[in-house]
Amino acid sequence: MERDMFASLSPLDHRYWEANQDLFTELSSYLSENAYTKYQLKVEAALVRALAERGVCPSQVAEEVEGACAAVQPNDVYAEERITRHNIRALVNQIRERVSDEAKPFVHLTATSADIMDTARALQYKDVTDAVLLPLLKKLMQWLIQMATAHKHTPQIGRTHGQHAVPITFGFYLSEYVSRLGGRVAQLARARERLPGKLAGAVGAYNAGALFFPDPEVFESEVLAQLGLRPAPYSTQVVEPEYLLDFVHALVSTFGVLANFSDDIRHLQRSEIGEVGEAFEPGQVGSSTMPHKRNPWNFEHVKSMWKEFMPRITTVYLDQISEHQRDLTNSASSRFVPEIVVGLAACVNRLVKVCGRLSVDSENMARNFTVGAKRAVAEPLYIVLAAVGHPDAHEFVKQLTLQADATNQDLLSLLEDNPEMRLYWDKLSDTQKEVIADPTRYLGIAARKTEQVCQYWQAALADVWPGKS
Amino acid sequence: MERDMFASLSPLDHRYWEANQDLFTELSSYLSENAYTKYQLKVEAALVRALAERGVCPSQVAEEVEGACAAVQPNDVYAEERITRHNIRALVNQIRERVSDEAKPFVHLTATSADIMDTARALQYKDVTDAVLLPLLKKLMQWLIQMATAHKHTPQIGRTHGQHAVPITFGFYLSEYVSRLGGRVAQLARARERLPGKLAGAVGAYNAGALFFPDPEVFESEVLAQLGLRPAPYSTQVVEPEYLLDFVHALVSTFGVLANFSDDIRHLQRSEIGEVGEAFEPGQVGSSTMPHKRNPWNFEHVKSMWKEFMPRITTVYLDQISEHQRDLTNSASSRFVPEIVVGLAACVNRLVKVCGRLSVDSENMARNFTVGAKRAVAEPLYIVLAAVGHPDAHEFVKQLTLQADATNQDLLSLLEDNPEMRLYWDKLSDTQKEVIADPTRYLGIAARKTEQVCQYWQAALADVWPGKS
Amino acid sequence: MERDMFASLSPLDHRYWEANQDLFTELSSYLSENAYTKYQLKVEAALVRALAERGVCPSQVAEEVEGACAAVQPNDVYAEERITRHNIRALVNQIRERVSDEAKPFVHLTATSADIMDTARALQYKDVTDAVLLPLLKKLMQWLIQMATAHKHTPQIGRTHGQHAVPITFGFYLSEYVSRLGGRVAQLARARERLPGKLAGAVGAYNAGALFFPDPEVFESEVLAQLGLRPAPYSTQVVEPEYLLDFVHALVSTFGVLANFSDDIRHLQRSEIGEVGEAFEPGQVGSSTMPHKRNPWNFEHVKSMWKEFMPRITTVYLDQISEHQRDLTNSASSRFVPEIVVGLAACVNRLVKVCGRLSVDSENMARNFTVGAKRAVAEPLYIVLAAVGHPDAHEFVKQLTLQADATNQDLLSLLEDNPEMRLYWDKLSDTQKEVIADPTRYLGIAARKTEQVCQYWQAALADVWPGKS
Amino acid sequence: MERDMFASLSPLDHRYWEANQDLFTELSSYLSENAYTKYQLKVEAALVRALAERGVCPSQVAEEVEGACAAVQPNDVYAEERITRHNIRALVNQIRERVSDEAKPFVHLTATSADIMDTARALQYKDVTDAVLLPLLKKLMQWLIQMATAHKHTPQIGRTHGQHAVPITFGFYLSEYVSRLGGRVAQLARARERLPGKLAGAVGAYNAGALFFPDPEVFESEVLAQLGLRPAPYSTQVVEPEYLLDFVHALVSTFGVLANFSDDIRHLQRSEIGEVGEAFEPGQVGSSTMPHKRNPWNFEHVKSMWKEFMPRITTVYLDQISEHQRDLTNSASSRFVPEIVVGLAACVNRLVKVCGRLSVDSENMARNFTVGAKRAVAEPLYIVLAAVGHPDAHEFVKQLTLQADATNQDLLSLLEDNPEMRLYWDKLSDTQKEVIADPTRYLGIAARKTEQVCQYWQAALADVWPGKS
């Protein structure tokens, strides 16, 4: 059924589809109702193929059913469902209608609806993760690695509590996200890998399968092997909910890393900070009434999408509970899980685009560094004084900084005339003196750590996506 | 843009649209992107009309703009937005393109984007509540009232902890939902009534408006009065988030009442209980593999939808936080709020339909009552014994019930021979003796309470929806 | 049982108790287990008093029971509960032990445990709201009102998206929180007012009460009237969960307003912004290693506490669901609800203290204003140009601002030489010209709005807390 | 400071402590403020030891500091914090006070507060997991394994949608929880293993450490190795939040499995089902007013605790966001995380106790089985008919079951006279005929699967807890 896109009810199907047409068309091929039906038909076909291999039905029956599965359209299934009020029975009826009477009995034989649906879902999530999510995340990782490497020596004032702390480099800052996003990608890859299929029947005890095979578990493995899946070690009517939950946890915690990154970047774009900027395109408008505005709206958008999708994992925690061999109260709710994949993919895509044109305002970064570094010298000063024996170095330096603030002087200039200071100055090593005189030397191992992290994840990316880099 | 419905990404736009075509088409006319644009255009038109009434522009300019607003289509706006990257500027440009040069400057004059958007949202939520949500809820309330009244005298065993407790009536049970749902409807009506509009400019201080009027707040009221809205008492760039939050709280807590009702009913349908049943339609299938199954799937569906939508209020709690005069991190997230309305409306609609064909199995209800009531007599027995002076009635009766359980006898039959009992029996009033002998007399004021609650809400319904019953 | 405070498991009972000793001692007198027991005993006493007034027992029985209720200690109840495994039966046994055999039967007569517990909870929440929460919130409101009024004319650059927008005043900014916090206080007062008591027996049908009175509902009102409560219009074994839910919604949404305020203030304290500051106390340390640090940790603390307590409302939404006449799955969870009150009270208290010593850095505020206002002139310029007939004022001004950015010039200085500008300049009114020349005149009605909001809520405070101001 | 336990504000510190005294005393030794301080002192001591090993200070300094660390008490630290307003500075001052002037400078040298706190937290969570959580979970697993094995052949009617489905065994049902709980235990063990320590200084770049060592990362490893921890691959001021998040995810999803199990068991205890029961203790009371009640309150309690603790993971997802090198908004919130461990441990402990006295009512289980199995024969009947060539077996059997319901007859008895049936009967194998005649033979591989699952996890338990079984 065709419908005006803007008549849709979900912003994923109107506004954000419009803004991400290529991506959403691709996501639709894995996650829409069309796709779900297609995957279910794939499972039904695999089942009959396996029955034929076991000799339960002739191999031409399998071929017939495979042909029928290729022909059935979602519209047909929905039309049938209006009668059966049961989605998989409708699907089965539509396959049966397209095969000979001889083949009819073997369609869906030994299976329960959830066998088909849970297995199809596992396939969808695996495929969309491999084909869309991981490649997008890889692009973002590569931008981060490249940018971090390029700026591994660019001094930036570190900030804790929104206050200038001690120096870092901009590359070191970015490598935080190389590391955290890398960790989540690994978690996601692991969770997708573990998603199992299932063909254990109506209550998980292989009751129906055991009518035909002494080893219905082996038969289950045969069906699933055709689809590239492993069976769940135990099922009720449905697969244990924790596999999906771990997958969604990986999605949502990846989203959290993006939200943190976006918050950071939009704060770095504050009028008073201005260390980075998002390039404006010709024709673009910042505000309908304030023609001078340039807003970090893409990063705000990612934060906002995270606020929409993060709480949805609560639904999946609730779906852990299903009475006895299964109640249906996870049925509707689990149909919304694909939206979390969509929301995340859209945001990674957005970040890949907007980061590609992110500019660093070196002047502002240097200016803020200079302001902050003047006071930041307090830390190394306290530490080296302590190391050379000042019994109360922290308090001594704290008092100096209060004095500097009160008199609006540099901490360094106060040092020169300080009699207590003179007692210790000569005990400092040359390097220590230099660090105190020049805060750009108080960068710790920022550059080296940046390299390490980037190199580690550059290599790991290849592992996570073998054959895909 | 036309698109295959089954290519959509949200189940609201495929599966649940398909299952609720009339309802969702109607909801779409209030909540889709088409509708949002239409409402925004309505606000822009009202603004220029008010400018004309103030003499800022000629009245034919207002007419011109009104005409243009009627002509602009969402597709035009989206095409323009691809250039401006700003949705309201795109809308404004499209209106401006359709009016004379003389009229152009007055389009959107004094307004900021959020003035248009927040006001449009308030209108959408009010209209959909009045036109769709409240009438649906009223239907459900009426079914509840009617059913409760019909069964006000039908004995049912009360259940606490899933264990038989003391008697109630089925009507009394249903009146719980008359009362709770009624309370939520009143809350919803109040929250919808309080949703304000806003025309206070880019930071809420009426900076732009004050360039034209000494009383921009009065002007704001004039614009909003045309739309049937009141202004917010204070705004930043956006309306205070608590109005929307209270509205969503009303939606979500209404949903919670439906979820509880659905849980109750599906437990009453358990194979072992069987007090109610959902009529099966010809052709309907309960399970793809178990031909004998009749599942309470509609009630499971409602519970499942609640699991999907309840957690989403967390997003709205998160959206309370917006830095300074506003950050944009509530922009994408607030676009998903209409889905909560859709989810709730779909479930009320589902319940209206399925309750209409709910059957009560009087035989099973009576059987369960009899089993439970036998032991339930323990409560009145303990109480009247206490009242006539037994110093330890609770313990005495508890021991009797343990004895009854151990010997598999009726509590009542044990009483007859109990020497301690005989000490007190004569002190009981006739009514008290009758209640102990016949548990159907131990119903408290179940029937009277049912009437009270139903009458109260029957009358209140007229109030909540004046002119709509 | 005495225990080392620092052996406690909840930070409310160690760290935050230590930091708020007076407040937490007071909160404990309403919300601890001691307090809960005390309130339950109050309800049991009121019940027997009402029984005596109805002539069910002699009035000296009521006196006896009242005396016993005053004597029972939580430790006694807990010791008894180790035997009964039932908290209210333990309480009842302990009262019974302290009265004559004649009085024993009348203790708890007609009541079920939930009658006592739900009624006690309503009393606790009402009392703590009136005695602690509302007075604290009033103090914070008064600080806000006073500060907003004092700064109603102090120019501040408005900020949207973290970017300089158009001018406001600092008082206008603060009045946002006067208004939002005021709105929540009103909501909280309303929700606390509506918390009902209950004495409707084991399944809500007054089964036990009806053994004694033809009008058990009236009897319920009599008991509750002694406690200052109204009965719930309908109950199962427990009060409808929505009353408590609305109360918690009021608490949590109040918390959200505080979190937003705290975020705002800590961003205003950023090193680069520095418009406000929290006075440092002698001896205070900002960082264990960076002696120069002054962190906005109190405001960070409030945000952090909101992150802890906001999600807990999900528990209360979950507790809407209780099967049939009640399951016990809300029992443990509802015992944690008082913690939300504690968390909120602690944060209001913290803000009252820290706001009292908040300093405004007028110099920085003025400096940021000047920087931002230079570009902010774009808005009034576009608007007045549009009003005098420029057909494309927004685009014209946007191009000017891009030019200003590119050439690092003031927007105003660019205007002078602009030929297009000269076409319109003479059409502007003197006031309009002045606004463009001097952004401190582009404040809209910031000061007037500040006064309005403050006056409204100053007056409303008296209403919300009659006799308490 | 000693305080009456019942004056506490958290139910963990009064009611649930009272109910779990041994357990909570043990948990307190890992998770209280006393414990946190003790762990922090442990980290400070390890730091100075490592400094001495590197030759930065003499080894007797390390000994002095170790001695001081053993002597400092939480009360001292809190008293000091009242002056410093900084917890770790207070700790450091208290250590310094107890050592010679020579040793003073080396206390906390190169460290920032978060180095100490994050590392201490990792140790706490590891230790409590190993010493308390995993052993408790193991006990529960062992009960499940034992019970499942014992009942691997006990027929039970499978239930989907609360409706009788097809047969399983009670042991097969229990092995669901062996498998799911086992999976979570493995996840928990993995997440605890990955919790890292940190000694990377104020912004993560080892600024301070690099003043002393060319290889501050190696030094970090040396400190942490003494504590049995590995360093985080990257840190800002704090450890990447995802490690803790994964740990809490493991906790909360384990809790979800327990909640599902508890729901199952309490439904199996419903008056109408009665397949299992919780043994009542002498003196125990089920209801304060209904002396006959036996409630599944322990299982309700676990569900209720899950409702309290599950939503708290939202806080940890929120804590993923920390601006730049760290803001403090995760500080208060992270102090509540230990409560989740406590809540979970309390529930596992409760289940271990109550499961130990869970009785199976074989009579009721058999009765329900018989009722359900009569109709359950529909599934194998449909399947074997299909397999022998019935073209529309599902519909045929569905009609038969409708007829059986309508006429109140057994499905089997209807078969005998059915002419269509006779066409196929002879084609069935003997085994197939037997299954249809006797539903206790339609158990699939329930028993074998039970064995497999139990054997797998019995072996795996040894792996997860080497040396602890």
Side-chain angles (χ1 to χ4, degrees), chain A residues 1 5 15 18 82, chain B residues 1 5 15 18 81-82:
Chain A
M1 202 184 98
M5 185 173 122
R15 183 164 184 82
E18 214 283 337
R82 257 170 247 134
Chain B
M1 202 182 99
M5 186 172 119
R15 184 163 182 82
E18 213 283 336
E81 192 181 342
R82 258 169 247 133

Side-chain angles (χ1 to χ4, degrees), chain D residues 186-262:
Chain D
Q187 198 80 353
L188 182 58
R190 182 175 178 268
R192 144 292 235 151
E193 197 51 47
R194 298 181 72 233
L195 289 170
K198 182 237 161 190
L199 206 87
V203 293
Y206 303 81
N207 308 53
L211 292 172
F212 297 90
F213 316 117
D215 56 351
E217 282 185 301
V218 179
F219 178 70
E220 177 186 43
S221 294
E222 291 163 9
V223 177
L224 297 176
Q226 294 187 50
L227 301 160
L229 291 173
R230 283 172 313 169
Y234 181 98
S235 299
T236 57
Q237 183 172 90
V238 290
V239 163
E240 295 178 11
E242 284 75 28
Y243 295 102
L244 179 62
L245 180 56
D246 287 347
F247 180 69
V248 176
H249 170 69
L251 294 174
V252 165
S253 57
T254 303
F255 223 141
V257 175
L258 303 185
N260 196 162
F261 175 65
S262 297

Side-chain angles (χ1 to χ4, degrees), chain C residues 5 7 33 38 47 52 55-56 120 168 202-203 207 263 288 346 355-356 358 365 432 446:
Chain C
M5 186 173 119
E33 194 69 356
K38 187 190 74 186
L47 166 60
V56 175
I168 55 169
V203 292
N207 308 53
D263 256 8
S288 75
C355 286
L358 193 80
M365 200 174 281
Q432 290 173 338

Side-chain angles (χ1 to χ4, degrees), chain D residues 409-426:
Chain D
Q409 288 181 275
D410 276 6
L411 190 58
L412 278 179
S413 65
L414 285 178
L415 288 183
E416 292 168 26
D417 309 322
N418 187 290
E420 196 170 343
M421 189 61 213
R422 264 170 290 169
L423 297 176
Y424 296 96
W425 187 253
D426 292 345

Side-chain angles (χ1 to χ4, degrees), chain B residues 185-199:
Chain B
V185 161
Q187 198 80 353
L188 180 59
R190 181 174 177 270
R192 144 296 233 144
E193 197 52 45
R194 297 181 72 233
L195 289 170
K198 183 240 162 188
L199 207 88

Side-chain angles (χ1 to χ4, degrees), chain A residues 134-394:
Chain A
L134 289 179
L136 275 175
L137 284 163
K138 187 173 186 172
K139 277 190 201 164
L140 185 57
M141 288 284 289
Q142 279 168 334
W143 177 84
L144 282 165
I145 288 171
Q146 183 182 9
M147 196 75 166
T149 307
H151 285 281
K152 67 184 174 190
H153 292 302
T154 310
Q156 186 188 30
I157 188 67
R159 289 173 177 93
T160 56
H161 313 260
Q163 305 294 306
H164 292 167
V166 293
I168 56 170
T169 67
F170 186 55
F172 174 78
Y173 156 67
L174 289 170
S175 64
E176 173 190 347
Y177 290 99
V178 175
S179 176
R180 289 174 64 190
L181 201 56
R184 289 300 95 189
V185 161
Q187 198 80 353
L188 181 58
R190 182 174 177 269
R192 144 296 233 148
E193 197 52 47
R194 299 181 71 232
L195 289 170
K198 182 237 160 187
L199 207 88
V203 294
Y206 304 81
N207 309 53
L211 291 172
F212 297 89
F213 317 117
D215 56 352
E217 282 184 301
V218 179
F219 178 69
E220 176 186 43
S221 295
E222 291 164 8
V223 177
L224 296 176
Q226 294 187 50
L227 300 161
L229 292 173
R230 283 172 311 170
Y234 181 97
S235 299
T236 58
Q237 182 173 90
V238 290
V239 163
E240 295 177 10
E242 285 75 29
Y243 295 102
L244 179 63
L245 180 55
D246 287 347
F247 179 70
V248 176
H249 170 69
L251 295 174
V252 165
S253 57
T254 303
F255 222 142
V257 175
L258 303 185
N260 196 162
F261 176 65
S262 297
D263 256 8
D264 277 4
I265 295 292
R266 66 189 186 87
H267 285 306
L268 291 181
Q269 289 189 64
R270 281 184 170 279
S271 296
E272 291 88 351
I273 299 178
E275 300 191 358
V276 298
E278 190 183 323
F280 230 58
E281 305 200 19
Q284 187 170 349
V285 172
S287 156
S288 75
T289 181
M290 296 177 284
H292 59 294
K293 290 297 293 287
R294 311 273 178 281
N295 298 321
W297 64 280
N298 281 300
F299 296 101
E300 293 174 307
H301 174 80
V302 172
K303 174 82 178 288
S304 192
M305 291 288 270
W306 167 78
K307 290 201 281 183
E308 174 59 31
F309 288 100
M310 179 274 282
R312 296 203 191 178
I313 193 171
T314 299
T315 302
V316 192
Y317 285 114
L318 291 172
D319 278 348
Q320 279 192 278
I321 295 186
S322 190
E323 290 160 14
H324 303 133
Q325 281 61 57
R326 188 272 165 113
D327 64 47
L328 200 77
T329 68
N330 76 328
S331 172
S333 44
S334 66
R335 290 179 182 276
F336 290 85
V337 170
E339 292 191 18
I340 304 175
V341 178
V342 173
L344 178 59
C347 285
V348 183
N349 195 40
R350 174 85 62 133
L351 285 175
V352 166
K353 275 190 205 154
V354 69
C355 286
R357 51 178 199 263
L358 194 78
S359 62
V360 179
D361 189 322
S362 324
E363 212 174 309
N364 283 345
M365 200 173 279
R367 184 201 62 203
N368 294 332
F369 180 85
T370 307
V371 172
K374 268 188 198 160
R375 305 182 76 241
V377 72
E379 182 180 270
L381 180 60
Y382 133 69
I383 289 170
V384 296
L385 285 177
V388 297
H390 191 298
D392 205 13
H394 189 278

